[in-house]
Short mmCIF file of all heavy atoms in Angstrom, two decimals:
data_model
loop_
_atom_site.label_atom_id
_atom_site.label_comp_id
_atom_site.label_asym_id
_atom_site.label_seq_id
_atom_site.Cartn_x
_atom_site.Cartn_y
_atom_site.Cartn_z
N THR E 133 -24.68 11.31 12.98
CA THR E 133 -25.92 11.46 13.71
C THR E 133 -25.87 12.52 14.81
O THR E 133 -26.91 12.92 15.30
CB THR E 133 -26.31 10.09 14.37
OG1 THR E 133 -25.32 9.77 15.38
CG2 THR E 133 -26.34 8.99 13.32
N GLY E 134 -24.66 12.90 15.20
CA GLY E 134 -24.50 13.83 16.32
C GLY E 134 -24.69 13.21 17.69
O GLY E 134 -24.61 13.88 18.71
N GLU E 135 -24.90 11.90 17.74
CA GLU E 135 -25.12 11.17 19.02
C GLU E 135 -23.82 10.99 19.75
O GLU E 135 -22.79 10.62 19.16
CB GLU E 135 -25.81 9.82 18.75
CG GLU E 135 -26.12 9.05 20.01
CD GLU E 135 -26.68 7.67 19.74
OE1 GLU E 135 -26.59 7.22 18.57
OE2 GLU E 135 -27.20 7.03 20.70
N LYS E 136 -23.87 11.12 21.06
CA LYS E 136 -22.74 10.86 21.93
C LYS E 136 -22.73 9.38 22.32
O LYS E 136 -23.65 8.90 22.97
CB LYS E 136 -22.82 11.75 23.18
CG LYS E 136 -21.57 11.77 24.04
CD LYS E 136 -21.75 12.76 25.17
CE LYS E 136 -20.52 12.89 26.02
NZ LYS E 136 -20.69 13.86 27.15
N ARG E 137 -21.74 8.67 21.89
CA ARG E 137 -21.66 7.24 22.10
C ARG E 137 -20.60 6.87 23.17
O ARG E 137 -19.49 7.42 23.16
CB ARG E 137 -21.27 6.52 20.78
CG ARG E 137 -22.21 6.81 19.65
CD ARG E 137 -23.51 6.08 19.74
NE ARG E 137 -23.33 4.60 19.68
CZ ARG E 137 -24.31 3.74 19.73
NH1 ARG E 137 -25.59 4.18 19.85
NH2 ARG E 137 -24.09 2.45 19.67
N GLU E 138 -20.96 5.94 24.05
CA GLU E 138 -20.02 5.49 25.07
C GLU E 138 -18.93 4.59 24.45
O GLU E 138 -19.24 3.71 23.66
CB GLU E 138 -20.76 4.72 26.17
CG GLU E 138 -19.87 4.34 27.33
CD GLU E 138 -20.66 3.60 28.44
OE1 GLU E 138 -21.91 3.52 28.35
OE2 GLU E 138 -20.03 3.09 29.36
N ILE E 139 -17.68 4.88 24.83
CA ILE E 139 -16.57 4.11 24.27
C ILE E 139 -16.65 2.64 24.70
O ILE E 139 -17.06 2.29 25.81
CB ILE E 139 -15.23 4.70 24.79
CG1 ILE E 139 -15.00 6.10 24.20
CG2 ILE E 139 -14.06 3.79 24.50
CD1 ILE E 139 -14.73 6.12 22.73
N TRP E 140 -16.26 1.76 23.77
CA TRP E 140 -16.24 0.32 23.99
C TRP E 140 -14.80 -0.16 23.81
O TRP E 140 -14.30 -0.25 22.70
CB TRP E 140 -17.17 -0.37 23.05
CG TRP E 140 -17.18 -1.88 23.18
CD1 TRP E 140 -16.55 -2.80 22.34
CD2 TRP E 140 -17.81 -2.67 24.18
NE1 TRP E 140 -16.76 -4.07 22.78
CE2 TRP E 140 -17.54 -4.03 23.92
CE3 TRP E 140 -18.57 -2.36 25.30
CZ2 TRP E 140 -18.01 -5.05 24.72
CZ3 TRP E 140 -19.06 -3.36 26.10
CH2 TRP E 140 -18.77 -4.69 25.79
N SER E 141 -14.10 -0.48 24.92
CA SER E 141 -12.75 -0.96 24.83
C SER E 141 -12.71 -2.36 24.18
O SER E 141 -13.65 -3.14 24.27
CB SER E 141 -12.09 -1.02 26.19
OG SER E 141 -12.03 0.27 26.77
N PHE E 142 -11.59 -2.65 23.52
CA PHE E 142 -11.47 -3.91 22.78
C PHE E 142 -10.77 -5.00 23.58
O PHE E 142 -9.76 -4.78 24.22
CB PHE E 142 -10.70 -3.68 21.48
CG PHE E 142 -10.35 -4.97 20.77
CD1 PHE E 142 -11.34 -5.68 20.11
CD2 PHE E 142 -9.07 -5.45 20.76
CE1 PHE E 142 -11.06 -6.89 19.46
CE2 PHE E 142 -8.75 -6.63 20.11
CZ PHE E 142 -9.75 -7.34 19.45
N PHE E 143 -11.37 -6.20 23.56
CA PHE E 143 -10.76 -7.40 24.15
C PHE E 143 -10.90 -8.57 23.17
O PHE E 143 -11.93 -8.70 22.51
CB PHE E 143 -11.50 -7.82 25.45
CG PHE E 143 -11.21 -6.94 26.63
CD1 PHE E 143 -11.98 -5.81 26.86
CD2 PHE E 143 -10.21 -7.25 27.54
CE1 PHE E 143 -11.75 -5.01 27.95
CE2 PHE E 143 -9.96 -6.46 28.64
CZ PHE E 143 -10.72 -5.31 28.85
N GLY E 144 -9.89 -9.41 23.08
CA GLY E 144 -10.00 -10.60 22.28
C GLY E 144 -9.02 -11.69 22.74
O GLY E 144 -7.85 -11.39 23.04
N GLY E 145 -9.50 -12.93 22.86
CA GLY E 145 -8.58 -14.02 23.19
C GLY E 145 -9.02 -14.75 24.45
O GLY E 145 -9.99 -14.35 25.12
N PRO E 146 -8.31 -15.85 24.76
CA PRO E 146 -7.16 -16.36 24.02
C PRO E 146 -7.56 -16.93 22.64
O PRO E 146 -8.58 -17.61 22.52
CB PRO E 146 -6.61 -17.48 24.94
CG PRO E 146 -7.27 -17.32 26.24
CD PRO E 146 -8.58 -16.63 25.96
N LEU E 147 -6.73 -16.61 21.64
CA LEU E 147 -6.93 -17.09 20.29
C LEU E 147 -5.69 -17.91 19.91
O LEU E 147 -4.59 -17.60 20.29
CB LEU E 147 -7.10 -15.94 19.30
CG LEU E 147 -8.25 -14.97 19.58
CD1 LEU E 147 -8.17 -13.78 18.63
CD2 LEU E 147 -9.60 -15.69 19.43
N SER E 148 -5.90 -18.91 19.10
CA SER E 148 -4.82 -19.81 18.68
C SER E 148 -4.21 -19.37 17.38
O SER E 148 -4.90 -19.03 16.42
CB SER E 148 -5.27 -21.23 18.60
OG SER E 148 -4.26 -22.10 18.11
N VAL E 149 -2.86 -19.33 17.30
CA VAL E 149 -2.11 -19.08 16.09
C VAL E 149 -1.08 -20.16 15.92
O VAL E 149 -0.40 -20.50 16.89
CB VAL E 149 -1.42 -17.70 16.12
CG1 VAL E 149 -0.58 -17.48 14.85
CG2 VAL E 149 -2.44 -16.55 16.28
N GLU E 150 -0.97 -20.69 14.73
CA GLU E 150 0.03 -21.75 14.49
C GLU E 150 0.78 -21.43 13.21
O GLU E 150 0.17 -21.19 12.15
CB GLU E 150 -0.58 -23.13 14.38
CG GLU E 150 0.44 -24.28 14.33
CD GLU E 150 -0.22 -25.64 14.55
OE1 GLU E 150 -1.21 -25.73 15.30
OE2 GLU E 150 0.31 -26.63 14.02
N ILE E 151 2.13 -21.43 13.27
CA ILE E 151 2.99 -21.17 12.15
C ILE E 151 3.71 -22.44 11.76
O ILE E 151 4.36 -23.07 12.58
CB ILE E 151 4.02 -20.09 12.44
CG1 ILE E 151 3.30 -18.76 12.82
CG2 ILE E 151 4.96 -19.85 11.27
CD1 ILE E 151 4.25 -17.63 13.26
N GLY E 152 3.58 -22.84 10.49
CA GLY E 152 4.19 -24.07 10.00
C GLY E 152 4.54 -23.97 8.55
O GLY E 152 4.40 -22.89 7.92
N PRO E 153 4.96 -25.05 7.91
CA PRO E 153 5.33 -25.05 6.49
C PRO E 153 4.22 -24.60 5.54
O PRO E 153 4.47 -24.11 4.46
CB PRO E 153 5.73 -26.51 6.22
CG PRO E 153 6.12 -27.03 7.56
CD PRO E 153 5.20 -26.37 8.54
N ASP E 154 2.97 -24.80 5.96
CA ASP E 154 1.83 -24.42 5.14
C ASP E 154 1.36 -22.98 5.39
O ASP E 154 0.32 -22.59 4.89
CB ASP E 154 0.66 -25.40 5.35
CG ASP E 154 0.99 -26.79 4.94
OD1 ASP E 154 1.76 -26.96 4.00
OD2 ASP E 154 0.52 -27.74 5.58
N GLY E 155 2.11 -22.23 6.19
CA GLY E 155 1.71 -20.86 6.46
C GLY E 155 1.25 -20.64 7.88
O GLY E 155 1.59 -21.37 8.81
N ILE E 156 0.33 -19.68 8.04
CA ILE E 156 -0.16 -19.29 9.34
C ILE E 156 -1.66 -19.65 9.42
O ILE E 156 -2.43 -19.29 8.54
CB ILE E 156 0.01 -17.80 9.61
CG1 ILE E 156 1.47 -17.38 9.41
CG2 ILE E 156 -0.47 -17.39 10.99
CD1 ILE E 156 1.68 -15.89 9.42
N VAL E 157 -2.02 -20.34 10.48
CA VAL E 157 -3.42 -20.73 10.67
C VAL E 157 -3.89 -20.12 11.99
O VAL E 157 -3.24 -20.28 13.04
CB VAL E 157 -3.60 -22.27 10.69
CG1 VAL E 157 -5.06 -22.63 10.96
CG2 VAL E 157 -3.12 -22.85 9.38
N THR E 158 -5.05 -19.45 11.98
CA THR E 158 -5.63 -18.87 13.20
C THR E 158 -6.88 -19.59 13.58
O THR E 158 -7.52 -20.24 12.75
CB THR E 158 -5.89 -17.39 13.01
OG1 THR E 158 -6.82 -17.20 11.90
CG2 THR E 158 -4.62 -16.60 12.70
N GLY E 159 -7.28 -19.47 14.86
CA GLY E 159 -8.49 -20.10 15.35
C GLY E 159 -9.74 -19.57 14.74
O GLY E 159 -9.74 -18.50 14.09
N PRO E 160 -10.85 -20.25 14.93
CA PRO E 160 -12.13 -19.86 14.31
C PRO E 160 -12.64 -18.48 14.75
O PRO E 160 -13.38 -17.80 14.02
CB PRO E 160 -13.10 -20.99 14.68
CG PRO E 160 -12.49 -21.60 15.92
CD PRO E 160 -11.03 -21.48 15.75
N GLU E 161 -12.27 -18.04 15.99
CA GLU E 161 -12.77 -16.77 16.47
C GLU E 161 -11.99 -15.57 15.95
O GLU E 161 -12.42 -14.44 16.06
CB GLU E 161 -12.73 -16.73 18.01
CG GLU E 161 -13.49 -17.84 18.70
CD GLU E 161 -12.65 -19.10 18.87
OE1 GLU E 161 -11.49 -19.12 18.39
OE2 GLU E 161 -13.15 -20.08 19.45
N ALA E 162 -10.82 -15.82 15.37
CA ALA E 162 -9.93 -14.73 14.94
C ALA E 162 -10.48 -14.01 13.73
O ALA E 162 -11.01 -14.63 12.80
CB ALA E 162 -8.55 -15.28 14.64
N THR E 163 -10.34 -12.70 13.70
CA THR E 163 -10.76 -11.89 12.56
C THR E 163 -9.62 -11.71 11.57
O THR E 163 -9.77 -11.02 10.54
CB THR E 163 -11.25 -10.52 12.99
OG1 THR E 163 -10.27 -9.87 13.81
CG2 THR E 163 -12.57 -10.63 13.79
N LEU E 164 -8.47 -12.27 11.87
CA LEU E 164 -7.30 -12.22 10.97
C LEU E 164 -7.07 -13.63 10.42
O LEU E 164 -6.84 -14.57 11.17
CB LEU E 164 -6.07 -11.73 11.76
CG LEU E 164 -4.85 -11.33 10.96
CD1 LEU E 164 -5.14 -10.10 10.11
CD2 LEU E 164 -3.66 -11.06 11.88
#
Side-chain angles (χ1 to χ4, degrees):
T133 66
E135 182 185 12
K136 190 176 183 180
R137 304 284 296 182
E138 185 179 352
I139 293 292
W140 177 257
S141 298
F142 171 72
F143 287 88
L147 302 172
S148 175
V149 177
E150 188 167 330
I151 299 176
D154 296 327
I156 305 171
V157 177
T158 58
E161 303 87 357
T163 54
L164 192 66

